[in-house]
Amino acid sequence: MAQHSTHPGGTSRVRRRALLGTAVLAVLVVLAGLAAYLTREGRSPSDTATPAPSSPTASSSSAAPPGPHTRPRALPVPPKTHDPITYGKAAAAALWSYDTRAYSQPELRKALRGWLTTESKYADPASVDQVIPSAVLWREMAANKQVATAKINEGHFPHAFTQALQDDPGAITQAYVYAVTVSGKQSIRWEGSSAGGAENRSTTLAVQCRPNDPCALVGVMPSVAP
Protein backbone atom coordinates (compact mmCIF):
# COMPACT_ATOMS: atom_id res chain seq x y z
CA MET A 1 0.00 0.00 0.00
CA ALA A 2 1.49 3.34 -1.04
CA GLN A 3 2.29 5.81 1.74
CA HIS A 4 1.64 9.51 1.33
CA SER A 5 4.49 11.88 2.08
CA THR A 6 4.10 14.06 5.16
CA HIS A 7 6.59 16.60 3.79
CA PRO A 8 5.47 19.72 1.92
CA GLY A 9 7.51 18.60 -1.10
CA GLY A 10 5.49 15.40 -1.25
CA THR A 11 2.30 17.29 -2.04
CA SER A 12 4.14 19.29 -4.68
CA ARG A 13 5.42 16.12 -6.35
CA VAL A 14 1.95 14.58 -6.39
CA ARG A 15 0.52 17.78 -7.88
CA ARG A 16 3.25 17.85 -10.55
CA ARG A 17 2.53 14.19 -11.30
CA ALA A 18 -1.14 15.01 -11.78
CA LEU A 19 -0.27 17.96 -14.02
CA LEU A 20 1.77 15.68 -16.25
CA GLY A 21 -1.22 13.39 -16.67
CA THR A 22 -3.51 16.35 -17.27
CA ALA A 23 -1.17 17.83 -19.90
CA VAL A 24 -0.97 14.60 -21.86
CA LEU A 25 -4.70 14.04 -21.60
CA ALA A 26 -5.34 17.58 -22.84
CA VAL A 27 -3.20 16.86 -25.86
CA LEU A 28 -4.95 13.58 -26.61
CA VAL A 29 -8.45 14.84 -25.82
CA VAL A 30 -10.15 11.55 -24.95
CA LEU A 31 -8.06 8.62 -23.79
CA ALA A 32 -9.75 6.68 -21.05
CA GLY A 33 -7.24 3.87 -21.41
CA LEU A 34 -4.18 6.07 -21.18
CA ALA A 35 -5.76 8.19 -18.46
CA ALA A 36 -5.93 5.11 -16.25
CA TYR A 37 -2.18 4.66 -16.59
CA LEU A 38 -1.36 8.32 -16.03
CA THR A 39 -3.40 8.65 -12.84
CA ARG A 40 -2.76 5.27 -11.23
CA GLU A 41 -0.76 5.57 -8.00
CA GLY A 42 1.51 3.16 -6.19
CA ARG A 43 3.38 1.55 -9.10
CA SER A 44 6.96 2.06 -10.18
CA PRO A 45 7.46 3.99 -13.45
CA SER A 46 9.68 1.16 -14.61
CA ASP A 47 7.54 -1.86 -13.77
CA THR A 48 8.69 -4.98 -15.58
CA ALA A 49 6.49 -6.06 -18.47
CA THR A 50 6.67 -8.44 -21.40
CA PRO A 51 8.10 -6.55 -24.40
CA ALA A 52 5.57 -5.79 -27.11
CA PRO A 53 6.38 -6.06 -30.84
CA SER A 54 8.63 -3.25 -32.05
CA SER A 55 7.27 -0.34 -34.00
CA PRO A 56 8.47 -0.33 -37.64
CA THR A 57 10.11 3.02 -36.92
CA ALA A 58 11.97 1.80 -33.85
CA SER A 59 15.62 0.76 -34.08
CA SER A 60 17.50 -1.27 -31.48
CA SER A 61 20.22 0.32 -29.39
CA SER A 62 22.35 -1.18 -26.67
CA ALA A 63 25.24 -0.66 -24.34
CA ALA A 64 27.63 -3.52 -23.57
CA PRO A 65 27.63 -4.79 -19.97
CA PRO A 66 30.51 -3.19 -18.06
CA GLY A 67 33.48 -5.37 -17.25
CA PRO A 68 35.64 -5.03 -14.14
CA HIS A 69 38.17 -2.82 -15.94
CA THR A 70 35.99 -0.72 -18.26
CA ARG A 71 36.62 2.98 -18.53
CA PRO A 72 34.29 5.33 -16.63
CA ARG A 73 31.20 6.26 -18.62
CA ALA A 74 30.31 9.86 -19.43
CA LEU A 75 27.10 11.54 -18.28
CA PRO A 76 24.17 10.95 -20.68
CA VAL A 77 23.61 13.55 -23.40
CA PRO A 78 20.24 13.77 -25.20
CA PRO A 79 20.25 12.99 -28.93
CA LYS A 80 19.22 15.56 -31.53
CA THR A 81 16.29 13.79 -33.15
CA HIS A 82 12.74 14.56 -34.24
CA ASP A 83 11.59 10.94 -33.83
CA PRO A 84 9.78 10.42 -30.49
CA ILE A 85 10.46 6.66 -30.43
CA THR A 86 14.17 7.13 -31.10
CA TYR A 87 14.30 9.76 -28.37
CA GLY A 88 12.26 7.67 -25.95
CA LYS A 89 14.60 4.71 -26.36
CA ALA A 90 17.64 6.92 -25.75
CA ALA A 91 15.99 8.47 -22.69
CA ALA A 92 15.13 5.05 -21.24
CA ALA A 93 18.74 3.91 -21.72
CA ALA A 94 19.94 7.05 -19.94
CA LEU A 95 17.51 6.52 -17.04
CA TRP A 96 18.58 2.89 -16.59
CA SER A 97 22.33 3.59 -16.75
CA TYR A 98 24.81 5.05 -14.28
CA ASP A 99 28.49 4.86 -13.31
CA THR A 100 29.26 5.62 -9.68
CA ARG A 101 32.98 5.71 -10.50
CA ALA A 102 32.66 8.62 -12.91
CA TYR A 103 30.30 11.15 -11.33
CA SER A 104 28.17 11.93 -8.29
CA GLN A 105 24.44 11.46 -7.80
CA PRO A 106 23.76 15.23 -8.03
CA GLU A 107 25.73 15.37 -11.30
CA LEU A 108 23.66 12.54 -12.77
CA ARG A 109 20.45 14.17 -11.56
CA LYS A 110 21.42 17.47 -13.20
CA ALA A 111 22.35 15.71 -16.45
CA LEU A 112 19.07 13.81 -16.66
CA ARG A 113 17.07 16.95 -15.89
CA GLY A 114 18.82 18.45 -18.89
CA TRP A 115 16.81 16.05 -21.07
CA LEU A 116 13.56 17.73 -19.99
CA THR A 117 11.61 20.13 -22.16
CA THR A 118 12.17 23.80 -21.35
CA GLU A 119 8.38 24.29 -21.38
CA SER A 120 7.81 24.26 -17.63
CA LYS A 121 4.07 23.65 -17.82
CA TYR A 122 4.78 20.22 -19.34
CA ALA A 123 8.12 19.23 -17.74
CA ASP A 124 7.90 16.82 -14.80
CA PRO A 125 11.37 16.75 -13.14
CA ALA A 126 10.02 14.92 -10.06
CA SER A 127 9.20 11.87 -12.19
CA VAL A 128 12.81 11.78 -13.41
CA ASP A 129 14.22 12.20 -9.90
CA GLN A 130 12.24 9.19 -8.73
CA VAL A 131 14.15 6.78 -11.01
CA ILE A 132 17.57 8.02 -9.85
CA PRO A 133 19.12 6.15 -6.88
CA SER A 134 18.82 8.15 -3.67
CA ALA A 135 21.86 9.91 -2.22
CA VAL A 136 22.16 7.30 0.55
CA LEU A 137 21.92 4.37 -1.87
CA TRP A 138 24.34 6.07 -4.25
CA ARG A 139 26.99 6.27 -1.52
CA GLU A 140 26.64 2.55 -0.90
CA MET A 141 26.87 1.76 -4.61
CA ALA A 142 29.85 4.10 -5.05
CA ALA A 143 31.71 2.26 -2.30
CA ASN A 144 31.50 -0.84 -4.51
CA LYS A 145 32.14 1.11 -7.75
CA GLN A 146 28.81 -0.04 -9.13
CA VAL A 147 28.02 0.47 -12.81
CA ALA A 148 24.75 -0.10 -14.68
CA THR A 149 24.20 -0.23 -18.43
CA ALA A 150 21.07 -0.67 -20.51
CA LYS A 151 20.25 -2.71 -23.59
CA ILE A 152 17.13 -1.45 -25.36
CA ASN A 153 15.02 -4.11 -27.07
CA GLU A 154 12.21 -2.06 -28.55
CA GLY A 155 10.09 1.07 -28.36
CA HIS A 156 6.54 1.76 -29.51
CA PHE A 157 3.53 4.03 -29.09
CA PRO A 158 1.07 2.53 -26.56
CA HIS A 159 -2.19 1.25 -27.99
CA ALA A 160 -4.30 3.92 -26.27
CA PHE A 161 -2.10 6.68 -27.67
CA THR A 162 -2.21 5.26 -31.21
CA GLN A 163 -5.99 4.90 -31.05
CA ALA A 164 -6.34 8.50 -29.87
CA LEU A 165 -4.28 9.80 -32.78
CA GLN A 166 -6.43 7.81 -35.18
CA ASP A 167 -9.59 9.23 -33.64
CA ASP A 168 -8.34 12.83 -33.65
CA PRO A 169 -5.04 13.37 -35.54
CA GLY A 170 -5.07 17.10 -34.84
CA ALA A 171 -5.26 16.78 -31.06
CA ILE A 172 -1.51 16.42 -30.65
CA THR A 173 -0.74 19.76 -32.29
CA GLN A 174 -1.32 21.66 -29.03
CA ALA A 175 1.81 20.45 -27.25
CA TYR A 176 3.19 17.66 -29.47
CA VAL A 177 3.55 15.28 -26.52
CA TYR A 178 3.86 11.60 -27.42
CA ALA A 179 3.63 8.55 -25.17
CA VAL A 180 6.43 6.04 -25.82
CA THR A 181 6.80 2.65 -24.14
CA VAL A 182 10.31 1.18 -24.07
CA SER A 183 11.44 -2.32 -23.04
CA GLY A 184 14.96 -3.54 -22.41
CA LYS A 185 17.36 -4.96 -19.87
CA GLN A 186 19.51 -3.32 -17.20
CA SER A 187 22.84 -4.97 -16.39
CA ILE A 188 24.70 -4.15 -13.15
CA ARG A 189 28.25 -4.94 -12.11
CA TRP A 190 30.44 -3.87 -9.23
CA GLU A 191 34.03 -4.15 -8.08
CA GLY A 192 35.04 -7.65 -7.10
CA SER A 193 32.30 -9.36 -9.12
CA SER A 194 32.69 -10.89 -12.57
CA ALA A 195 29.07 -12.02 -12.80
CA GLY A 196 26.91 -9.04 -11.83
CA GLY A 197 23.17 -9.11 -12.36
CA ALA A 198 20.52 -8.15 -14.89
CA GLU A 199 16.78 -7.56 -15.00
CA ASN A 200 14.19 -6.76 -17.62
CA ARG A 201 12.89 -3.20 -17.55
CA SER A 202 9.93 -1.40 -19.15
CA THR A 203 8.78 2.18 -18.86
CA THR A 204 6.43 4.61 -20.56
CA LEU A 205 7.77 8.10 -21.19
CA ALA A 206 6.12 11.33 -22.30
CA VAL A 207 8.21 12.87 -25.09
CA GLN A 208 7.68 16.27 -26.69
CA CYS A 209 8.66 16.61 -30.37
CA ARG A 210 7.62 19.94 -31.84
CA PRO A 211 8.04 20.18 -35.65
CA ASN A 212 10.87 22.74 -35.57
CA ASP A 213 12.69 21.59 -32.45
CA PRO A 214 14.53 18.41 -31.39
CA CYS A 215 12.61 16.10 -29.08
CA ALA A 216 12.76 16.56 -25.32
CA LEU A 217 11.61 14.54 -22.33
CA VAL A 218 8.39 15.55 -20.58
CA GLY A 219 8.54 12.93 -17.85
CA VAL A 220 8.22 9.31 -16.76
CA MET A 221 4.71 7.89 -16.59
CA PRO A 222 3.63 6.41 -13.24
CA SER A 223 2.81 3.09 -14.93
CA VAL A 224 3.75 1.15 -18.06
CA ALA A 225 1.23 1.49 -20.88
CA PRO A 226 1.15 -1.46 -23.32
Side-chain angles (χ1 to χ4, degrees):
M1 179 176 180
Q3 295 183 347
H4 295 286
S5 172
T6 58
H7 300 289
T11 302
S12 177
R13 286 192 295 272
V14 171
R15 183 178 298 110
R16 173 67 81 176
R17 201 87 160 155
L19 287 176
L20 171 62
T22 302
V24 176
L25 289 175
V27 173
L28 302 179
V29 186
V30 222
L31 294 176
L34 187 55
Y37 285 103
L38 293 176
T39 58
R40 188 178 303 164
E41 296 289 344
R43 289 182 56 187
S44 166
S46 56
D47 286 341
T48 301
T50 302
S54 297
S55 163
T57 62
S59 59
S60 61
S61 61
S62 64
H69 303 296
T70 54
R71 294 181 179 179
R73 303 176 65 85
L75 287 164
V77 177
K80 300 294 184 182
T81 179
H82 295 272
D83 182 342
I85 291 181
T86 297
Y87 191 91
K89 292 168 70 175
L95 292 169
W96 297 340
S97 304
Y98 55 81
D99 189 339
T100 63
R101 306 167 303 171
Y103 42 76
S104 66
Q105 190 257 19
E107 288 174 326
L108 176 60
R109 180 172 175 268
K110 180 179 179 180
L112 291 175
R113 281 195 169 202
W115 288 59
L116 290 164
T117 176
T118 56
E119 298 182 39
S120 59
K121 72 175 181 177
Y122 296 119
D124 183 17
S127 69
V128 173
D129 293 347
Q130 286 186 351
V131 302
I132 302 172
S134 68
V136 173
L137 179 57
W138 186 274
R139 285 195 295 270
E140 296 177 359
M141 297 190 306
N144 295 319
K145 296 180 171 58
Q146 188 164 305
V147 182
T149 56
K151 178 180 179 181
I152 302 303
N153 295 331
E154 65 90 37
H156 66 275
F157 295 133
H159 173 72
F161 180 87
T162 302
Q163 185 61 53
L165 289 184
Q166 293 175 352
D167 294 342
D168 187 356
I172 201 167
T173 58
Q174 177 182 335
Y176 288 95
V177 175
Y178 300 79
V180 180
T181 294
V182 181
S183 297
K185 179 175 289 187
Q186 182 188 56
S187 297
I188 301 175
R189 291 198 180 185
W190 52 91
E191 188 178 57
S193 172
S194 58
E199 67 173 351
N200 293 324
R201 303 292 297 271
S202 292
T203 189
T204 299
L205 307 173
V207 176
Q208 184 181 55
C209 296
R210 290 197 180 277
N212 299 321
D213 298 306
C215 295
L217 183 63
V218 171
V220 183
M221 302 294 192
S223 300
V224 178

